[in-house]
Amino acid sequence: MSRPVIGIIGNRYSIEDRFPVQVVGDRNMAAVTDVMGGLPLMFAAHPAITDIEALLEVVDGVLLTGARANVHPRHFGMEPNPRHEPYDEERDSIALPLIDACVARGVPVFGICRGFQEMAVAGGATLHPEIRELPGRINHRMPRLETGEVHPDPEVVFADRHGVDLTPGGIFAGMFGSDKIRVNSLHGQGILDLGDRIVVEGVADDGTIEAIRMREAKDFALGVQWHAEYDPQTNPINRALFESFGEAARAYRAARLGGGVTERVKGVAAR
């Protein structure tokens, strides 16, 4: 098979408040197939079901998607609060060590929204549960009607809402061919304090961190706070992200099938 296999993390969901399931949004899978030319493979965000080492034997990249649940604050030294629920500790227990394993092995990993926040926490960062409560910050949550209901028009919900200044000469600026982009915004949490393993590559107009990379990664290990999966078929910024992810995944697959990855992993272990 020439198509790269992209593992997409699932999210816990309950049908009729009785039947627990794992789900992945169609747009995430469509981005993998339409833009990357890859084969999406959902894996469960549950430690009793998914074995990380076994997973990484069969995938050529990992996509950490957005989700309603927040990363539990115990992972960055803060106390939980009912106002900031729901949490998904089962996903935390898979996603956080999986990020480290991907970086160590050189498996391309791409984090979107919650996935971005997971990469930040794995890299030692702390999160603020409501970034809009910080002085000078805008409301980054999805647009709502005056009644409090989410706006019914997805074109409004996922419309570009603010600018992002990219690091000149950085990975993202090179990918997009620009130091300034505009993106959508549908998140509550945001990075508060950086960890040593995170490099900031993009900052919103109000100072909110929007694009990061893992410092020690030798391959693709990038995260974006916006929902890049929504429209990469038509949005040139989001298309560039998934195309770059796809190139990295195909290169990893070629090395893995050719034996090059084994030698690279041995080198990482030796260091």
Side-chain angles (χ1 to χ4, degrees), residues 244-261:
S244 295
F245 184 30
E247 290 171 5
R250 283 190 291 274
Y252 179 84
R253 179 176 182 81
R256 177 168 69 87
L257 297 181
V261 168

Side-chain angles (χ1 to χ4, degrees), residues 24-36:
V24 164
D26 284 357
R27 289 188 183 275
N28 292 288
M29 294 185 285
V32 168
T33 57
D34 296 349
V35 183
M36 298 175 61

Side-chain angles (χ1 to χ4, degrees), residues 40-118:
L41 174 68
M42 192 202 86
F43 61 92
H46 195 304
I49 300 173
T50 295
D51 178 274
I52 290 175
E53 290 301 313
L55 173 70
L56 294 184
E57 289 297 321
V58 297
V59 300
D60 304 304
V62 170
L63 178 60
L64 301 171
T65 67
R68 181 168 180 266
N70 287 327
V71 178
H72 197 284
R74 71 178 179 84
H75 295 293
F76 45 93
M78 294 186 181
E79 294 297 320
N81 187 314
R83 290 197 307 120
H84 306 138
E85 295 176 354
Y87 300 119
D88 187 348
E89 294 200 71
E90 290 172 349
R91 173 161 165 167
D92 294 343
S93 67
I94 289 292
L96 299 180
L98 175 59
I99 292 164
D100 286 336
C102 286
V103 171
R105 284 176 174 255
V107 179
V109 56
F110 182 26
I112 293 175
C113 200
R114 178 186 161 110
F116 164 96
Q117 294 160 4
E118 289 165 338

